[in-house]
Amino acid sequence: APSDSVREVALTLLSDQHRPLKLMLATHGKDAPASADVLAKAIAATGHRTVVLDVAGVSRLPATGDLATLVFDGTAPATEAPLTVVAPGTIDEHEDLLLSPRMRSLLDSYSAQADVVLVVSGPRDGYAARALAGLVDGIVTEAPTGTAVPSIGDADRGVIVVAPGADDAHRGRAES
């Protein structure tokens, strides 16, 4: 079960009525472990249908589909599951697809059927994070407590920082 602090971060992400965060980018620093799986499970546990698009190939949750194939198609298969994880497939061989209209179409398609779409990009200074930052409503990044988190790309989006220690989660929303 997700820790209380990660559950609180999940609730914070879902509670902004002025700018709801439906389509989120999950990143981390080079030395921080990815906690997107924990966050995805916490969001799904609140009753929100959640889709994880694992661009980075870091999820340890059971995955279906192949992100590269879905981007080529530009549409998402229907899903009614509380938590759906899409494996990266060969997306790393086709990074140019991340900036394509087909990727935008796939994100729109999943956004239409899920309550939350969490795009896991890997390191926040990586190509995928910079390419996808402008396509999302918000960015969730993982960093050690006390670390300054630089902006990602030129996205003007809300950022929530989750510290690797579950008890150190930043529970507020900061503007980048």
Side-chain angles (χ1 to χ4, degrees), residues 3-15 21 24 39 42-43 140 160-163 166 168-172:
S3 70
D4 288 340
S5 58
V6 172
R7 201 174 353 264
E8 286 182 40
V9 169
L11 292 173
T12 299
L13 291 169
L14 302 170
S15 66
L21 298 176
M24 292 179 263
L39 184 59
I43 293 171
V140 180
I160 292 183
V161 177
V162 179
D168 296 330
H170 175 71
R171 295 177 183 88

Side-chain angles (χ1 to χ4, degrees), residues 1-175:
S3 70
D4 288 340
S5 58
V6 172
R7 201 174 353 264
E8 286 182 40
V9 169
L11 292 173
T12 299
L13 291 169
L14 302 170
S15 66
D16 188 333
Q17 295 179 3
H18 301 290
R19 279 180 79 186
L21 298 176
K22 179 175 182 131
L23 180 57
M24 292 179 263
L25 180 67
T27 72
H28 58 83
K30 289 179 181 168
D31 298 327
S35 62
D37 287 355
V38 176
L39 184 59
K41 288 194 281 188
I43 293 171
T46 66
H48 290 82
R49 193 170 38 206
T50 306
V51 171
V52 176
L53 299 179
D54 186 12
V55 174
V58 297
S59 179
R60 291 187 175 95
L61 297 172
T64 59
D66 173 326
L67 184 58
T69 301
L70 294 176
V71 173
F72 276 120
D73 293 345
T75 58
T79 181
E80 294 294 323
L83 178 60
T84 301
V85 180
V86 179
T90 59
I91 198 72
D92 60 335
E93 298 171 16
H94 306 283
E95 285 186 329
D96 56 317
L97 288 177
L98 297 177
L99 292 171
S100 72
R102 290 178 178 171
M103 183 64 177
R104 176 80 254 173
S105 177
L106 180 67
L107 293 173
D108 290 345
S109 183
Y110 271 122
S111 291
Q113 60 179 303
D115 298 312
V116 174
V117 178
L118 191 62
V119 182
V120 182
S121 70
R124 65 180 158 267
D125 61 352
Y127 174 79
R130 291 189 317 272
L132 296 167
L135 301 178
V136 297
D137 300 325
I139 299 168
V140 180
T141 191
E142 185 174 0
T145 303
T147 301
V149 178
S151 62
I152 299 170
D154 52 352
D156 180 24
R157 305 286 192 241
V159 174
I160 292 183
V161 177
V162 179
D167 294 332
D168 296 330
H170 175 71
R171 295 177 183 88
R173 181 172 175 187
E175 293 299 321

